[in-house]
Amino acid sequence: MIIDANVHITHDSKWFHTNKNANEKVLLNEMDDSKVDKSILVPFEDFITDEFVVEVYNRNKDRIIPAGSLDVSKYDTETKAVNAFLSKVEKYNFPIYKFHNRFHCYSPDDSRFLAVLEANNNLPSPKIIFICGLLFSDKAPIMNINPPMHFYSIAKRFSNTNFVIMHAGGSWALSL
């Protein structure tokens, strides 16, 4: 079975401010053309919603694996971020949650993010966590530790959780 681990489509078929087509039918046709059996549909909170992912999944259960997203930067405390995450888990129960630290402008060592990872790790069945591997942007704070050490640390600390560092870790691909 071939699974594409990171696809995005939108309710209006637009991809940000580009002319790229982010349409459901286009995705399904491209999956057929490429002989991809399933794709993990990954949202961006406030751009591609969890509700939209559920709608697409319900139409294509044999082709789509649904994922959720949470923007921890929206919450001013660790407790609020954890409660938001647990609420999403209870409502949707997606098998995967992606965190877009780069787009949501927080560092992967942000305490709110780490608190959510701890809450996930303590679930009876922890969710798979996708982390944007393009770790730096001009809008996000700089990490306080180098990425390989940080991800080694969280993998050890949250050992019940499976992590996927997306986009091959960007410029850190070899060391990650």
Side-chain angles (χ1 to χ4, degrees), residues 95-124:
I96 300 162
Y97 283 82
K98 179 156 184 200
F99 293 87
H100 298 85
N101 45 285
R102 181 171 46 104
F103 285 122
H104 292 142
C105 301
Y106 64 90
S107 173
D109 63 356
D110 185 291
S111 65
R112 297 164 296 182
F113 176 56
L114 297 175
V116 167
L117 294 183
E118 184 170 351
N120 180 70
N121 196 65
N122 291 329
L123 291 172

Side-chain angles (χ1 to χ4, degrees), residues 8-15 20-24 26 52:
H8 307 292
I9 57 176
T10 62
H11 69 282
D12 64 1
S13 302
K14 295 181 180 180
W15 187 247
K20 293 186 171 52
N21 189 336
N23 179 277
E24 180 179 343
V26 170
F52 178 69

Side-chain angles (χ1 to χ4, degrees), residues 11-168:
H11 69 282
D12 64 1
S13 302
K14 295 181 180 180
W15 187 247
F16 293 98
H17 304 291
T18 71
N19 62 356
K20 293 186 171 52
N21 189 336
N23 179 277
E24 180 179 343
K25 288 184 188 224
V26 170
L27 170 64
L28 295 170
N29 288 336
E30 288 177 354
M31 288 171 63
D32 290 339
D33 291 348
S34 302
K35 299 190 179 10
V36 170
D37 300 298
K38 292 189 176 212
S39 288
I40 300 172
L41 181 55
V42 178
F44 289 91
E45 189 170 60
D46 298 327
F47 179 61
I48 304 169
T49 66
D50 293 334
E51 291 81 7
F52 178 69
V53 169
V54 170
E55 290 172 20
V56 174
Y57 170 70
N58 285 336
R59 287 191 294 271
N60 304 283
K61 289 184 178 182
D62 59 329
R63 305 294 308 274
I64 297 296
I65 300 168
S69 179
L70 179 74
D71 176 1
V72 301
S73 72
K74 290 168 63 173
Y75 305 96
D76 59 354
T77 67
E78 295 169 9
T79 301
K80 288 178 183 176
V82 166
N83 289 341
F85 174 71
L86 294 175
S87 176
K88 282 183 174 248
V89 167
E90 184 176 330
K91 182 174 182 179
Y92 300 109
N93 199 29
F94 293 130
I96 300 162
Y97 283 82
K98 179 156 184 200
F99 293 87
H100 298 85
N101 45 285
R102 181 171 46 104
F103 285 122
H104 292 142
C105 301
Y106 64 90
S107 173
D109 63 356
D110 185 291
S111 65
R112 297 164 296 182
F113 176 56
L114 297 175
V116 167
L117 294 183
E118 184 170 351
N120 180 70
N121 196 65
N122 291 329
L123 291 172
S125 296
K127 306 306 177 184
I128 298 168
I129 300 296
F130 285 8
I131 301 172
C132 180
L134 301 173
L135 302 169
F136 302 102
S137 83
D138 57 348
K139 296 177 186 138
I142 295 173
M143 290 178 64
N144 293 315
I145 185 172
N146 73 50
M149 291 304 298
H150 176 65
F151 290 113
Y152 174 75
S153 170
I154 67 169
K156 285 191 62 92
R157 180 175 169 191
F158 308 118
S159 61
N160 294 330
T161 300
N162 291 312
F163 292 97
V164 177
I165 308 302
M166 304 302 289
H167 313 299

